[in-house]
Amino acid sequence: MSLIVPENYDPKLSIRETEEAIRYIRETFQDEIGKELNLQRMSAPMFVEQSTGLNDNLNGVEAPVSFTMKDLPGETIEIVHSLAKWKRFALKKYGFGLHEGLYTNMNAIRKDEDLDNFHSIYVDQWDWEKVIAKEERTEATLKATLKATVRQVFKVIKHMEHEVWYKFPQAVYHLPDEIHFVTTQELEDRWPELSPMEREDKIAKELGCVFVMKIGDKLQRSGEPHDGRAPDYDDWSLNGDIIFWYEPLQTKLEVSSMGIRVDERAMKEQLEKAHATDRAELPFHRDLLAGKMPYTIGGGIGQSRLCMLLLGKAHVGEVQASIWPEEMKEACAKAKIQLL
């Protein structure tokens, strides 16, 4: 457990006022991001069969919550970590066309999460995915598509700041006016003596908001990845995280992870690099490697993280109901951090 306790913290809103703000942010943002990115809201599963290969393996070490059910003997059911792969499957199944996409409310349990101000075992995010053309898969075109989409997401987040300020002027946290782009290799070259997360802190504080690109593959100097990424959804050369500098806690705050999804070549290469070639036999992976899946861009936007950012909250537990250690609950109570 890790906890940052800000000095003289003032939550500004009561719990009931905070709940009103949460409802407003969630309902308004999903409508606006749907319009901006041409996404339709779709229903999504909270659990999937292990044998489909649809669950998100995250860094490969986190174990999903699993169970069995009476009417599917011999099948293990897993609560999703995210819907990164399911969304691409759904675009095909439901017949989405070029530059059309979907978004869904994703609720997950990540029981192995390290708890702190931003991390909970309960994860809620808008998962979204959009079809792009195979012909767009040139490096220059894909980079342009990725950056343009990142700017669209930032535009909606920035607009939400103004919407929240209008309704809750005493509580809104003001955001920078621009998002910048930097690669993980550029960060390592600039600060080789720092850890990847320390580099993110440095660049976020310097620029205010940044999209850190190319996460998952090994860096040139250290030979280690900047951060872990599953090998079977993001193309590690065409992905990244939207990170804000968060003044109330004097640290970075990641709000969204997104990227161009793997094609057949990238999937094969990344499975080999991750020593996970056994996944190639799973149904989702077989179809993708056979060219039967649409080419897509997609990502996730944290619902509680966004509420926390826009309302200047000190702890994610102020905008979502989860479970916390007694030690953390006591420290939060003393600091006027109102855990739900």
Side-chain angles (χ1 to χ4, degrees):
M1 185 193 81
S2 176
L3 180 66
I4 302 170
V5 179
E7 292 184 10
N8 304 315
Y9 177 62
D10 178 7
K12 296 178 182 176
L13 299 177
S14 69
I15 288 179
R16 291 182 63 179
E17 289 171 330
T18 297
E19 290 282 11
E20 182 182 352
I22 291 169
R23 180 198 61 79
Y24 176 75
I25 292 169
R26 290 177 184 240
E27 291 180 359
T28 306
F29 182 83
Q30 67 180 15
D31 288 342
E32 294 203 2
I33 199 69
K35 291 175 185 176
E36 182 69 26
L37 296 182
N38 192 29
L39 309 173
Q40 179 181 349
R41 189 194 181 283
M42 301 293 289
S43 299
M46 187 175 181
F47 32 78
V48 295
E49 296 102 319
Q50 184 185 64
S51 60
T52 62
L54 286 174
N55 205 355
D56 183 352
N57 295 89
L58 300 177
N59 292 322
V61 296
E62 299 91 344
V65 176
S66 62
F67 58 94
T68 58
M69 56 184 286
K70 182 180 66 175
D71 290 334
L72 278 181
E75 181 68 80
T76 299
I77 312 299
E78 296 180 346
I79 294 179
V80 297
H81 277 150
S82 85
L83 296 169
K85 287 176 278 189
W86 176 87
K87 294 175 295 181
R88 196 166 177 179
F89 167 80
L91 289 175
K92 176 187 177 184
K93 180 179 179 180
Y94 299 137
F96 280 75
L98 181 63
H99 299 151
E100 294 180 332
L102 63 85
Y103 77 88
T104 187
N105 288 296
M106 191 282 298
N107 298 292
I109 298 174
R110 298 181 183 174
K111 68 181 184 64
D112 295 325
E113 195 68 81
D114 294 323
L115 304 183
D116 57 28
N117 297 68
F118 304 123
H119 294 89
S120 166
I121 64 167
Y122 171 62
V123 180
D124 54 349
Q125 64 184 36
W126 291 285
D127 256 321
W128 65 273
E129 199 84 6
K130 186 174 180 178
V131 179
I132 60 176
K134 184 176 183 179
E135 293 72 27
E136 293 179 56
R137 289 199 69 89
T138 66
E139 185 174 2
T141 302
L142 290 180
K143 282 183 178 179
T145 298
L146 178 61
K147 287 186 174 182
T149 307
V150 168
R151 290 191 176 99
Q152 286 179 291
V153 174
F154 177 80
K155 172 186 170 184
V156 178
I157 293 173
K158 183 65 180 174
H159 184 247
M160 281 302 304
E161 174 200 341
H162 298 294
E163 294 289 318
V164 174
W165 178 83
Y166 181 76
K167 290 185 71 71
F168 306 95
Q170 76 278 30
V172 72
Y173 175 71
H174 294 288
L175 307 177
D177 294 326
E178 186 179 356
I179 187 167
H180 304 264
F181 296 84
V182 65
T183 68
T184 54
Q185 189 58 58
E186 288 171 336
L187 292 182
E188 185 186 49
D189 291 344
R190 185 171 177 186
W191 294 297
E193 73 283 2
L194 300 181
S195 71
M197 297 305 102
E198 289 170 335
R199 294 172 200 146
E200 288 188 359
D201 269 337
K202 283 273 194 181
I203 198 67
K205 186 172 185 178
E206 178 181 306
L207 299 178
C209 183
V210 63
F211 186 65
V212 177
M213 302 174 66
K214 298 189 176 183
I215 301 174
D217 213 344
K218 293 179 179 179
L219 298 172
Q220 295 172 6
R221 287 174 175 262
S222 64
E224 298 292 332
H226 176 84
D227 196 7
R229 284 294 188 275
D232 45 11
Y233 54 90
D234 276 353
D235 185 322
W236 291 342
S237 66
L238 292 161
N239 67 350
D241 293 341
I242 297 177
I243 296 171
F244 287 85
W245 175 250
Y246 194 52
E247 198 69 29
L249 297 179
Q250 289 293 296
T251 188
K252 66 181 179 70
L253 172 54
E254 177 199 326
V255 172
S256 176
S257 178
M258 58 183 288
I260 306 293
R261 304 311 199 186
V262 289
D263 61 4
E264 301 90 327
R265 176 197 57 78
M267 165 82 91
K268 184 175 183 296
E269 289 180 1
Q270 291 180 186
L271 288 178
E272 290 172 354
K273 289 178 179 178
H275 306 291
T277 53
D278 57 310
R279 294 189 204 172
E281 299 304 315
L282 295 169
F284 171 84
H285 301 69
R286 281 203 312 266
D287 283 353
L288 196 151
L289 289 168
K292 296 179 180 179
M293 285 289 177
Y295 298 94
T296 63
I297 181 173
I301 303 167
Q303 295 184 13
S304 291
R305 294 271 185 98
L306 181 63
C307 291
M308 185 181 176
L309 174 70
L310 293 173
L311 297 174
K313 295 295 187 179
H315 196 287
V316 70
E318 294 179 274
V319 292
Q320 65 158 240
S322 187
I323 294 176
W324 310 100
E326 285 300 321
E327 181 185 355
M328 181 177 282
K329 289 193 287 187
E330 291 171 4
C332 286
K334 290 178 181 178
K336 299 181 181 179
I337 297 172
Q338 304 167 326
L339 300 181
L340 301 182

